[in-house]
Amino acid sequence: MSMVLILEWVVGIALIGGAIACVTTENILAAIVRLSLLSMVAVVAFALMRAPDVALTEAVIGSGLVTFVFVVTVKELFAKEDKNEEVH
Amino acid sequence: MIQFAGIALILIGIYGLMTTKHMIKLIIALNVLELGANIFIISVGFVKNGLAPILTADVPSDLLNFVDPLPQAMVLTAIVIGFGATALGLAVARKVYGKYQTYDLSVIGGEE
Amino acid sequence: MKKFISFLLILVLAFFLMTSLNSSLDFFNPPNSLDETRMSNAFIHKNASGGSDPVEFGKSTGLEDGSANIVTSVVVDYRSFDTLGEITVLFISALGVGLLLGAGTGAKQRSGFILKTAAKLISPLMMVTGIFIFTHGHLTPGGGFPGGSMMATAFLLNYFGSGSISTDLKSLKWMESLAGVFYIVIGLIGLFVAGSFLQNYLPTGTVGHLFSAGIIPIIYVLVGLKVGSEVSGIIADFSKSEVTS
């Protein structure tokens, strides 16, 4: 078993596990951060598939900008949580 | 293996879409689905011991060992479009939050 | 209960997919070489009519499409009309975000000393890296889409550091509109000079030189500016708006 093949298996299992952890969690902020980490793993997957252009784009957008728009959107939810109000 | 992971990500994304009623989580599940679709499309063009489709001084001139560049070109634009769609969806979610003070669709629909 | 039923449905779907795809795709054994009949072979040999002449880096001249990065030659030459549509979709979604969130003043962000100093140092470097990526899109990995997004990330870091949006948003809108207009104008010149919309009508030069590949670098710079200003606009809309209650 070569190095690349082992790396492929590790990345594949990390992708599946990360996606399950991202979708099944109840905490919203945890889900957002896990989505960001999943994007980082996907960058490695794209690089393994010999797609450097796509890996670059996913690194900039998937783990940078998408996380920003999600966090800004749920910001008010946490401001509410601090005041110990009921959160939906 | 990565091709298999792409299909698994699509299925997990559909599972997430079916089991939640929180708007932000719906958009997160949609993002997972999109990531899986992108990985699957890229992996269809993969070639064993292939090279990245960029001509350099080291590439032999018979050009037989490249991976397929066409799926990569499609996914390159699809990622940026996905960001636009995510931003639009979150803008709609914020507008709904401004009106109902909650992101939970079952509360908005009056189900409980 | 609902989760269990969803899980069962997903299992059924997975079984169906695996049995139907198993004949056409071999999950753990990719093919040894690219299928000769695929359209991509024509793109790699830079001859849309199907020739298989060798292309050599730094030697071949006067090809149909002189870009060293084959993904770039697909995105902005062979499928350029498609890219025009894609950036239009991005423009419409940016417009939708602007319309939905509306104009707000936005709360002033408080930032620490380290973030402030680091943002001042790093964000110009990121901006220059983004510009480098989209001007060398026909030679190295990258191009207009990641380069433009990197410029927008520099804009975002600058916002975190300084605490407010200092850039004039009207100039972003002008840059975006002018880039889109120039893209279409270049395509129309191709229609009148060479006979079809967005055809590569400039001399393509030697593969691997900076000034090569005809209209590809020009269009990729325009795409980079357009994507960068659109994504910056989305970021500005999100950070400025407050949820009205």
Side-chain angles (χ1 to χ4, degrees):
Chain A
M1 231 176 165
S2 64
M3 260 324 267
V4 176
L5 204 59
I6 296 170
L7 196 58
E8 241 175 63
W9 275 87
V10 169
V11 167
I13 291 166
L15 275 174
I16 296 173
I20 291 173
C22 175
V23 163
T24 53
T25 181
E26 287 297 312
N27 187 343
I28 300 158
L29 197 59
I32 292 167
V33 173
R34 282 169 195 178
L35 181 68
S36 175
L37 286 174
L38 190 65
S39 292
M40 264 351 268
V41 180
V43 171
V44 183
F46 287 138
L48 281 175
M49 288 284 138
R50 314 290 194 282
D53 305 75
V54 182
L56 209 57
T57 316
E58 180 68 36
V60 176
I61 290 184
S63 40
L65 297 172
V66 168
T67 315
F68 168 75
V69 285
F70 271 114
V71 169
V72 165
T73 306
V74 298
K75 197 177 60 183
E76 278 83 11
L77 218 55
F78 297 110
K80 217 175 169 184
E81 218 167 28
D82 287 342
K83 288 185 222 153
N84 289 323
E85 287 180 31
E86 192 191 356
V87 176
H88 288 294
Chain B
M1 180 59 203
I2 291 180
Q3 194 162 41
F4 184 78
I7 290 182
L9 249 66
I10 295 175
L11 294 172
I12 294 166
I14 295 172
Y15 173 79
L17 283 176
M18 285 201 290
T19 52
T20 183
K21 283 198 168 176
H22 193 284
M23 268 188 282
I24 306 291
K25 279 189 200 154
L26 283 175
I27 299 172
I28 288 174
L30 209 58
N31 263 289
V32 172
L33 203 162
E34 184 204 318
L35 202 59
N38 287 343
I39 290 172
F40 180 69
I41 294 171
I42 289 271
S43 69
V44 167
F46 186 59
V47 170
K48 202 179 273 179
N49 299 321
L51 298 169
I54 295 169
L55 292 167
T56 55
D58 307 332
V59 171
S61 61
D62 55 352
L63 310 176
L64 285 177
N65 215 15
F66 283 138
V67 298
D68 200 338
L70 190 58
Q72 299 191 9
M74 305 210 158
V75 171
L76 184 67
T77 46
I79 290 174
V80 183
I81 301 300
F83 170 70
T86 305
L88 190 61
L90 286 172
V92 174
R94 281 187 83 151
K95 208 68 186 167
V96 172
Y97 184 79
K99 188 166 183 193
Y100 291 97
Q101 294 299 306
T102 176
Y103 281 119
D104 203 329
L105 286 173
S106 59
V107 176
I108 295 169
E111 258 183 49
E112 282 296 325
Chain C
M1 188 60 201
K2 198 175 77 180
K3 283 186 180 173
F4 183 67
I5 294 172
S6 310
F7 186 68
L8 281 183
L9 275 172
I10 291 299
L11 277 187
V12 171
L13 194 58
F15 180 75
F16 173 73
L17 270 178
M18 289 302 157
T19 47
S20 62
L21 286 177
N22 207 17
S23 54
S24 55
L25 299 170
D26 198 352
F27 283 110
F28 301 101
N29 283 311
N32 278 317
S33 69
L34 204 55
D35 193 352
E36 290 285 324
T37 55
R38 282 203 192 176
M39 191 60 208
S40 308
N41 267 307
F43 296 149
I44 287 172
H45 290 100
K46 304 204 178 298
N47 194 342
S49 44
S52 59
D53 302 329
V55 179
E56 276 190 82
F57 182 82
K59 285 179 191 158
S60 305
T61 51
L63 296 163
E64 185 180 80
D65 167 294
S67 160
N69 186 344
I70 298 163
V71 177
T72 301
S73 76
V74 176
V75 170
V76 284
D77 194 351
Y78 292 111
R79 299 183 64 89
S80 196
F81 193 56
D82 191 32
T83 308
L84 183 61
E86 305 254 15
I87 58 174
T88 312
V89 172
L90 190 62
F91 169 68
I92 290 169
S93 71
L95 201 69
V97 170
L99 281 173
L100 278 169
L101 293 179
T105 49
K108 185 114 171 138
Q109 195 94 19
R110 281 194 297 126
S111 49
F113 171 73
I114 294 175
L115 181 59
K116 237 181 237 175
T117 317
K120 255 182 214 158
L121 280 174
I122 295 172
S123 73
L125 283 177
M126 280 171 80
M127 198 68 101
V128 171
T129 311
I131 291 170
F132 174 85
I133 283 178
F134 66 64
T135 47
H136 288 69
H138 57 301
L139 302 177
T140 53
F145 290 99
S149 316
M150 203 170 280
M151 281 176 72
T153 317
F155 179 83
L156 174 63
L157 187 65
N158 194 27
Y159 161 66
F160 279 147
S162 63
S164 60
I165 288 171
S166 47
T167 321
D168 185 11
L169 290 178
K170 206 167 255 179
S171 62
L172 282 180
K173 297 269 184 295
W174 270 101
M175 193 160 86
E176 181 189 333
S177 316
L178 282 178
V181 167
F182 276 125
Y183 196 152
I184 295 172
V185 165
I186 287 173
L188 284 175
I189 292 173
L191 182 61
F192 290 118
V193 171
S196 58
F197 190 59
L198 284 167
Q199 189 164 346
N200 200 344
Y201 51 85
L202 291 178
T204 51
T206 311
V207 174
H209 289 192
L210 180 59
F211 294 103
S212 66
I215 63 170
I216 289 179
I218 305 170
I219 287 186
Y220 234 2
V221 167
L222 292 175
V223 169
L225 290 176
K226 192 165 165 64
V227 169
S229 46
E230 271 162 0
V231 175
S232 304
I234 290 178
I235 287 172
D237 284 335
F238 263 92
S239 53
K240 273 193 166 183
S241 72
E242 290 289 301
V243 170
T244 50
S245 53

